[in-house]
Amino acid sequence: MGAGTEPDGSSRSDEEWDRFLRESVAGAAGAPEEPSARAREVAHRLRAEPAGGPERWRGYTPARPKRRTGWYAAGLLACLVLLVVALAPGRVVDLFAGDGADPPSRTAGGAPPEEAARRPTAEEPFRGSPAAGWASGAAGITVPGARAAGWMSAAEVERALARSRDFLVASGLDRAVLRGERPEKALALINPHQKDVQDLVRTAFRSPDEKNDPLLLFSRFEPSHARLVGDVVKTRGRLTYREGERGAVEVTADVTFVYPVTRADAGGDDEIVRTIVRRELVLNWDDPDKVITEPGTFSIVSYKYDVTNGGCGASTGYFTPPFGPDRREGGAGTEIDPYDRSTPVAEGEPTGDECRVATRS
């Protein structure tokens, strides 16, 4: 239907159309009146459109040639505005309001609701982490059934496995050790006649450096920098064993520890960071007839570990998790998924200058 054509097909002259538009504009100042036949038809057409139709007025429309200009186009626009005011005043309010409100898809703090829901808290320090479903403490370290191997009977293998797990608990879960104290219980399980390891330990606790670092074997946090949140450390891993050289029982431990920590001087609502450490140790329970050892101790064959959110820089003998700006700015380094246990721990010892970036934490 043309702009100057009535519903019954008759035509208006330009003078009549201009008079109609002026009268329509003049009538807008008063109370709403019964719409004309034209207004009723336009309103009927608007109601028949899909719900998304009127919303297109808010969007950008690509420029295109205009066939009519001047008073004719201005009058048509005025008529449309009047119809919108009369038929849907709420939409007009929506067009000019909303700048002062937060978008419904974000929280007042600026974070999407789903992200805020994953943030750890003092009550739920593992919230949003894959470790939330892991076992706690020693319960997450699987020990296989024992059978005779090497120089040991099944009962002796069972005892060796239990003491190997004791070492993991004493070196990676003991609360005093995590607070930075010397790991005496763990050290007592290491063969005192293994000179290279004993030298490493003495140097590491006296003057730690890249080659002699307590973190190679023990988890410790600088007490003036960070403290653990809650009483739980999440773990996942296992022990395996086989007959090794000279009849020894060789035990391999591959365990991931997840430590929730916050600033040492933090209040109840401060930032919580999870430091994730995966350790792989190979321990020999040597035949005392072939290797100089002491009862109830093992020799360390090898050690490897990966750590994320443990801090970067020179070795201090402690994990120093990054908080606040330090965490946001520490984006350089090797990317790693610390929860992925499908591949072995990377070869080579981590260095103080290497900062691993967690793809999820």
Side-chain angles (χ1 to χ4, degrees), residues 26-91:
E33 297 179 358
E34 178 69 14
S36 66
R38 169 178 290 278
R40 285 197 298 272
E41 179 170 343
V42 173
H44 176 73
R45 189 171 70 251
L46 287 175
R47 293 191 187 99
E49 286 183 353
E55 287 293 326
R56 289 196 295 271
W57 297 344
R58 300 187 188 187
Y60 167 74
T61 301
R64 59 177 177 264
K66 297 181 181 179
R67 295 185 178 182
R68 296 181 177 89
T69 58
W71 285 106
Y72 187 91
L76 181 60
L77 178 61
C79 191
L80 289 174
V81 170
L82 289 172
L83 286 171
V84 172
V85 172
L87 299 175
R91 291 189 179 277

Coordinates of all heavy atoms in Angstrom, one line a residue, residues 26-91:
A26 N -0.1 17.8 15.8 CA -0.7 18.7 16.7 C -1.5 18.0 17.8 O -1.5 18.4 19.0 CB -1.7 19.7 16.0
G27 N -2.1 16.9 17.4 CA -2.8 16.1 18.4 C -2.0 15.3 19.4 O -2.5 14.8 20.4
A28 N -0.7 15.2 19.2 CA 0.2 14.4 20.1 C 0.3 15.0 21.4 O 0.6 14.3 22.4 CB 1.5 14.2 19.4
A29 N 0.1 16.3 21.5 CA 0.3 17.0 22.8 C -0.7 16.7 23.8 O -0.6 16.8 25.0 CB 0.4 18.5 22.5
G30 N -1.9 16.3 23.3 CA -3.0 16.0 24.2 C -3.1 14.6 24.6 O -2.1 13.8 24.4
A31 N -4.2 14.2 25.2 CA -4.4 12.8 25.6 C -4.5 11.9 24.4 O -4.9 12.3 23.3 CB -5.7 12.7 26.5
P32 N -4.2 10.6 24.5 CA -4.3 9.7 23.3 C -5.7 9.6 22.9 O -6.6 9.6 23.7 CB -3.8 8.4 23.9 CG -3.0 8.7 25.1 CD -3.6 10.0 25.6
E33 N -5.9 9.6 21.5 CA -7.2 9.5 20.9 C -7.3 8.2 20.2 O -6.3 7.5 20.0 CB -7.5 10.7 20.0 CG -7.4 12.0 20.7 CD -7.6 13.2 19.8 OE1 -7.8 12.9 18.5 OE2 -7.7 14.3 20.2
E34 N -8.6 7.9 19.8 CA -8.8 6.7 19.0 C -8.0 6.8 17.7 O -8.1 7.7 17.0 CB -10.3 6.5 18.7 CG -10.6 5.3 17.8 CD -10.5 4.0 18.6 OE1 -10.4 4.1 19.8 OE2 -10.5 3.0 18.0
P35 N -7.1 5.8 17.4 CA -6.3 5.9 16.1 C -7.2 5.9 14.9 O -8.3 5.4 14.9 CB -5.5 4.6 16.2 CG -5.5 4.1 17.6 CD -6.9 4.6 18.1
S36 N -6.7 6.6 13.9 CA -7.4 6.6 12.6 C -7.4 5.3 11.9 O -6.7 4.4 12.4 CB -6.8 7.7 11.7 OG -5.5 7.2 11.4
A37 N -8.1 5.2 10.8 CA -8.1 3.9 10.1 C -6.7 3.6 9.7 O -6.3 2.4 9.8 CB -9.0 4.0 8.9
R38 N -5.9 4.6 9.2 CA -4.5 4.3 8.8 C -3.7 3.8 10.0 O -2.9 2.9 9.9 CB -3.9 5.6 8.2 CG -2.3 5.5 8.1 CD -1.8 6.7 7.4 NE -2.2 6.8 6.0 CZ -1.6 6.1 5.0 NH1 -0.5 5.3 5.3 NH2 -2.0 6.2 3.8
A39 N -3.9 4.5 11.2 CA -3.1 4.1 12.4 C -3.4 2.7 12.8 O -2.6 2.0 13.2 CB -3.3 5.1 13.5
R40 N -4.8 2.4 12.7 CA -5.2 1.1 13.2 C -4.6 0.0 12.3 O -4.1 -1.1 12.7 CB -6.7 1.0 13.2 CG -7.4 1.7 14.3 CD -8.8 1.3 14.5 NE -9.6 1.6 13.3 CZ -10.3 2.7 13.1 NH1 -10.2 3.7 14.0 NH2 -11.0 2.9 12.0
E41 N -4.5 0.3 11.0 CA -3.9 -0.7 10.1 C -2.4 -0.9 10.3 O -1.9 -2.0 10.4 CB -4.1 -0.3 8.6 CG -3.5 -1.4 7.7 CD -3.9 -1.1 6.2 OE1 -4.9 -0.4 6.0 OE2 -3.3 -1.7 5.4
V42 N -1.7 0.2 10.5 CA -0.3 0.1 10.8 C 0.0 -0.6 12.1 O 0.8 -1.4 12.2 CB 0.4 1.5 10.9 CG1 1.8 1.5 11.3 CG2 0.3 2.2 9.5
A43 N -0.9 -0.3 13.1 CA -0.7 -1.0 14.4 C -1.0 -2.5 14.2 O -0.3 -3.3 14.8 CB -1.7 -0.4 15.4
H44 N -2.0 -2.8 13.4 CA -2.3 -4.2 13.2 C -1.1 -4.9 12.6 O -0.7 -6.0 12.9 CB -3.5 -4.4 12.3 CG -3.8 -5.8 11.9 ND1 -4.3 -6.7 12.8 CD2 -3.6 -6.5 10.8 CE1 -4.5 -7.9 12.2 NE2 -4.0 -7.8 11.0
R45 N -0.4 -4.2 11.6 CA 0.7 -4.8 10.9 C 1.9 -5.0 11.9 O 2.6 -6.0 11.9 CB 1.1 -4.0 9.7 CG 2.2 -4.6 8.9 CD 2.5 -3.9 7.6 NE 3.1 -2.6 7.8 CZ 2.5 -1.4 7.6 NH1 1.3 -1.4 7.3 NH2 3.2 -0.3 7.8
L46 N 2.1 -4.0 12.8 CA 3.2 -4.1 13.7 C 3.0 -5.3 14.7 O 3.9 -6.0 15.1 CB 3.3 -2.8 14.5 CG 3.9 -1.6 13.8 CD1 3.8 -0.4 14.7 CD2 5.3 -1.9 13.4
R47 N 1.7 -5.5 15.1 CA 1.5 -6.6 16.0 C 1.7 -7.9 15.3 O 2.0 -8.9 16.0 CB 0.0 -6.5 16.6 CG -0.2 -5.3 17.5 CD -1.6 -5.5 18.2 NE -1.9 -4.2 18.9 CZ -2.7 -3.3 18.4 NH1 -3.3 -3.4 17.2 NH2 -3.0 -2.2 19.2
A48 N 1.5 -8.0 14.0 CA 1.6 -9.2 13.3 C 3.0 -9.6 13.0 O 3.3 -10.7 12.7 CB 0.8 -9.1 12.0
E49 N 4.0 -8.7 13.2 CA 5.4 -8.9 12.9 C 5.9 -9.9 14.0 O 5.4 -9.9 15.2 CB 6.2 -7.6 12.9 CG 6.0 -6.8 11.7 CD 6.9 -5.6 11.7 OE1 7.5 -5.4 12.7 OE2 6.9 -4.9 10.7
P50 N 7.0 -10.6 13.8 CA 7.7 -11.4 14.8 C 8.2 -10.5 15.9 O 8.4 -9.3 15.7 CB 8.9 -12.1 14.1 CG 8.5 -12.0 12.6 CD 7.6 -10.8 12.5
A51 N 8.3 -11.1 17.1 CA 8.7 -10.3 18.3 C 10.0 -9.5 18.1 O 10.2 -8.5 18.7 CB 8.9 -11.2 19.5
G52 N 10.9 -10.0 17.2 CA 12.2 -9.3 17.0 C 12.1 -8.2 16.1 O 13.0 -7.5 15.9
G53 N 10.9 -8.0 15.4 CA 10.8 -6.9 14.4 C 11.1 -5.5 14.9 O 12.0 -4.9 14.4
P54 N 10.3 -5.0 15.9 CA 10.5 -3.6 16.4 C 11.9 -3.4 16.9 O 12.5 -2.3 16.9 CB 9.5 -3.4 17.5 CG 8.4 -4.4 17.1 CD 9.1 -5.6 16.5
E55 N 12.6 -4.5 17.4 CA 13.9 -4.3 18.0 C 14.9 -3.9 16.9 O 16.0 -3.4 17.2 CB 14.4 -5.7 18.6 CG 13.7 -6.0 19.9 CD 14.1 -5.0 21.0 OE1 15.2 -4.5 21.0 OE2 13.3 -4.7 21.9
R56 N 14.6 -4.2 15.6 CA 15.6 -3.8 14.6 C 15.7 -2.3 14.5 O 16.7 -1.8 14.0 CB 15.1 -4.3 13.2 CG 15.2 -5.8 13.1 CD 15.1 -6.2 11.6 NE 13.7 -5.9 11.1 CZ 12.7 -6.7 11.2 NH1 12.8 -7.9 11.7 NH2 11.5 -6.4 10.6
W57 N 14.8 -1.5 15.1 CA 15.0 0.0 15.1 C 16.2 0.4 15.9 O 16.7 1.4 15.7 CB 13.7 0.6 15.6 CG 12.5 0.4 14.8 CD1 12.5 -0.1 13.5 CD2 11.1 0.6 15.2 NE1 11.2 -0.2 13.1 CE2 10.3 0.2 14.1 CE3 10.5 1.0 16.4 CZ2 8.9 0.2 14.2 CZ3 9.1 1.1 16.4 CH2 8.4 0.7 15.3
R58 N 16.6 -0.5 16.8 CA 17.8 -0.1 17.7 C 19.1 -0.3 17.0 O 20.1 0.2 17.3 CB 17.7 -1.0 19.0 CG 16.5 -0.8 19.8 CD 16.7 -1.5 21.1 NE 15.4 -1.6 21.9 CZ 15.4 -2.0 23.1 NH1 16.4 -2.5 23.7 NH2 14.2 -2.0 23.7
G59 N 19.1 -1.2 16.0 CA 20.3 -1.6 15.4 C 20.7 -0.7 14.3 O 20.0 0.2 13.8
Y60 N 22.0 -0.9 13.8 CA 22.5 -0.1 12.7 C 21.9 -0.7 11.4 O 21.9 -1.9 11.1 CB 24.0 -0.3 12.7 CG 24.7 0.2 11.4 CD1 24.7 1.6 11.1 CD2 25.2 -0.7 10.4 CE1 25.3 2.1 10.0 CE2 25.7 -0.2 9.3 CZ 25.8 1.2 9.0 OH 26.4 1.6 7.9
T61 N 21.5 0.2 10.5 CA 20.9 -0.2 9.2 C 21.9 0.4 8.1 O 22.2 1.6 8.1 CB 19.5 0.4 9.0 OG1 18.7 0.0 10.0 CG2 19.0 0.0 7.6
P62 N 22.4 -0.5 7.2 CA 23.3 0.0 6.2 C 22.7 1.1 5.4 O 21.5 1.1 5.1 CB 23.6 -1.3 5.4 CG 23.3 -2.4 6.3 CD 22.2 -1.9 7.2
A63 N 23.5 2.1 4.9 CA 23.0 3.2 4.1 C 22.5 2.7 2.8 O 23.1 1.8 2.2 CB 24.1 4.2 3.9
R64 N 21.4 3.2 2.3 CA 20.9 2.9 1.0 C 20.2 4.1 0.4 O 19.8 5.0 1.2 CB 19.9 1.7 1.1 CG 18.7 1.9 2.0 CD 17.8 0.7 2.0 NE 16.7 0.9 2.9 CZ 16.6 0.4 4.1 NH1 17.7 -0.3 4.6 NH2 15.6 0.5 4.9
P65 N 19.9 4.2 -0.9 CA 19.3 5.3 -1.5 C 17.9 5.6 -0.9 O 17.2 4.7 -0.6 CB 19.2 4.9 -3.0 CG 20.2 3.9 -3.2 CD 20.3 3.1 -1.9
K66 N 17.6 6.9 -0.8 CA 16.3 7.3 -0.3 C 15.5 7.9 -1.4 O 16.0 8.8 -2.1 CB 16.4 8.3 0.9 CG 17.1 7.7 2.1 CD 17.2 8.7 3.2 CE 17.9 8.1 4.4 NZ 18.0 9.1 5.5
R67 N 14.2 7.5 -1.6 CA 13.5 8.0 -2.8 C 12.7 9.2 -2.5 O 12.3 10.0 -3.3 CB 12.5 6.9 -3.2 CG 13.2 5.7 -3.8 CD 12.2 4.7 -4.3 NE 12.9 3.5 -4.9 CZ 12.3 2.5 -5.5 NH1 11.0 2.5 -5.6 NH2 13.0 1.5 -6.0
R68 N 12.4 9.5 -1.2 CA 11.6 10.6 -0.8 C 12.3 11.4 0.3 O 12.9 10.8 1.2 CB 10.2 10.3 -0.3 CG 9.3 9.6 -1.4 CD 8.0 9.3 -0.8 NE 7.1 8.7 -1.8 CZ 7.0 7.4 -2.0 NH1 7.7 6.5 -1.4 NH2 6.1 6.9 -3.0
T69 N 12.3 12.7 0.2 CA 13.0 13.5 1.2 C 12.1 14.7 1.6 O 10.9 14.8 1.1 CB 14.3 14.1 0.6 OG1 13.9 14.9 -0.6 CG2 15.3 13.1 0.2
G70 N 12.6 15.6 2.4 CA 11.9 16.8 2.8 C 10.8 16.4 3.8 O 10.8 15.5 4.6
W71 N 9.6 17.3 3.7 CA 8.5 17.2 4.6 C 7.9 15.8 4.6 O 7.4 15.3 5.6 CB 7.5 18.3 4.3 CG 8.0 19.6 4.8 CD1 8.4 20.6 4.0 CD2 8.1 20.1 6.2 NE1 8.8 21.7 4.8 CE2 8.5 21.4 6.1 CE3 7.8 19.5 7.4 CZ2 8.7 22.1 7.3 CZ3 7.9 20.2 8.5 CH2 8.4 21.5 8.5
Y72 N 7.9 15.2 3.4 CA 7.2 13.9 3.3 C 7.8 12.9 4.2 O 7.2 12.2 4.9 CB 7.2 13.5 1.8 CG 6.4 12.2 1.5 CD1 5.1 12.3 1.1 CD2 7.0 11.0 1.6 CE1 4.3 11.2 0.9 CE2 6.3 9.8 1.4 CZ 4.9 10.0 1.0 OH 4.2 8.8 0.7
A73 N 9.2 12.8 4.1 CA 9.9 11.8 4.9 C 9.8 12.2 6.4 O 9.7 11.3 7.2 CB 11.4 11.7 4.4
A74 N 9.9 13.5 6.7 CA 9.9 13.9 8.1 C 8.5 13.6 8.7 O 8.4 13.2 9.8 CB 10.2 15.4 8.2
G75 N 7.4 13.8 7.9 CA 6.1 13.5 8.4 C 5.9 12.1 8.6 O 5.3 11.7 9.6
L76 N 6.4 11.2 7.7 CA 6.3 9.8 7.9 C 7.0 9.3 9.2 O 6.5 8.5 10.0 CB 6.9 9.0 6.7 CG 6.8 7.5 6.8 CD1 5.3 7.1 6.9 CD2 7.4 6.9 5.5
L77 N 8.2 9.9 9.4 CA 9.0 9.6 10.7 C 8.2 10.0 11.9 O 8.1 9.2 12.9 CB 10.3 10.2 10.6 CG 11.2 10.0 11.9 CD1 11.5 8.5 12.0 CD2 12.5 10.8 11.7
A78 N 7.6 11.2 11.8 CA 6.8 11.7 13.0 C 5.6 10.8 13.3 O 5.3 10.5 14.4 CB 6.3 13.1 12.8
C79 N 5.0 10.3 12.2 CA 3.9 9.4 12.4 C 4.3 8.1 13.0 O 3.6 7.6 13.9 CB 3.3 9.1 11.0 SG 1.6 8.3 11.1
L80 N 5.4 7.6 12.6 CA 5.9 6.3 13.2 C 6.2 6.5 14.7 O 5.9 5.7 15.5 CB 7.2 5.9 12.5 CG 7.0 5.3 11.1 CD1 8.3 5.0 10.4 CD2 6.1 4.0 11.1
V81 N 6.9 7.7 15.0 CA 7.2 7.9 16.4 C 5.9 8.0 17.3 O 5.8 7.4 18.4 CB 8.0 9.2 16.6 CG1 8.1 9.6 18.0 CG2 9.4 9.1 16.0
L82 N 4.9 8.7 16.7 CA 3.6 8.8 17.5 C 3.0 7.4 17.7 O 2.5 7.1 18.8 CB 2.6 9.6 16.7 CG 2.9 11.1 16.7 CD1 2.0 11.9 15.7 CD2 2.8 11.7 18.1
L83 N 3.1 6.5 16.7 CA 2.5 5.2 16.8 C 3.3 4.4 17.9 O 2.7 3.7 18.7 CB 2.6 4.5 15.5 CG 1.6 4.9 14.4 CD1 1.8 4.3 13.1 CD2 0.2 4.6 14.9
V84 N 4.6 4.5 17.9 CA 5.4 3.8 18.9 C 5.0 4.3 20.3 O 4.9 3.5 21.2 CB 6.9 3.9 18.6 CG1 7.7 3.4 19.8 CG2 7.3 3.2 17.3
V85 N 4.9 5.6 20.5 CA 4.6 6.2 21.8 C 3.2 5.7 22.2 O 3.0 5.3 23.4 CB 4.6 7.7 21.8 CG1 4.1 8.3 23.1 CG2 6.0 8.2 21.5
A86 N 2.3 5.6 21.3 CA 0.9 5.2 21.7 C 0.8 3.8 21.9 O 0.1 3.3 22.8 CB -0.1 5.7 20.5
L87 N 1.5 2.9 21.1 CA 1.3 1.5 21.2 C 2.3 0.8 22.1 O 2.0 -0.3 22.7 CB 1.4 0.9 19.8 CG 0.4 1.4 18.8 CD1 0.7 0.8 17.4 CD2 -1.0 1.0 19.2
A88 N 3.5 1.3 22.3 CA 4.5 0.6 23.1 C 5.4 1.6 23.8 O 6.5 1.8 23.5 CB 5.3 -0.3 22.2
P89 N 4.8 2.4 24.8 CA 5.6 3.4 25.4 C 6.8 2.8 26.2 O 7.9 3.4 26.3 CB 4.6 4.0 26.4 CG 3.5 3.0 26.6 CD 3.4 2.3 25.3
G90 N 6.7 1.6 26.6 CA 7.8 0.9 27.3 C 9.1 0.8 26.5 O 10.2 0.9 27.0
R91 N 8.8 0.6 25.2 CA 10.0 0.4 24.3 C 10.8 1.7 24.1 O 12.0 1.7 24.0 CB 9.6 -0.1 22.9 CG 9.0 -1.5 22.9 CD 8.8 -2.0 21.5 NE 8.3 -3.4 21.5 CZ 9.1 -4.4 21.6 NH1 10.4 -4.3 21.7 NH2 8.6 -5.7 21.6

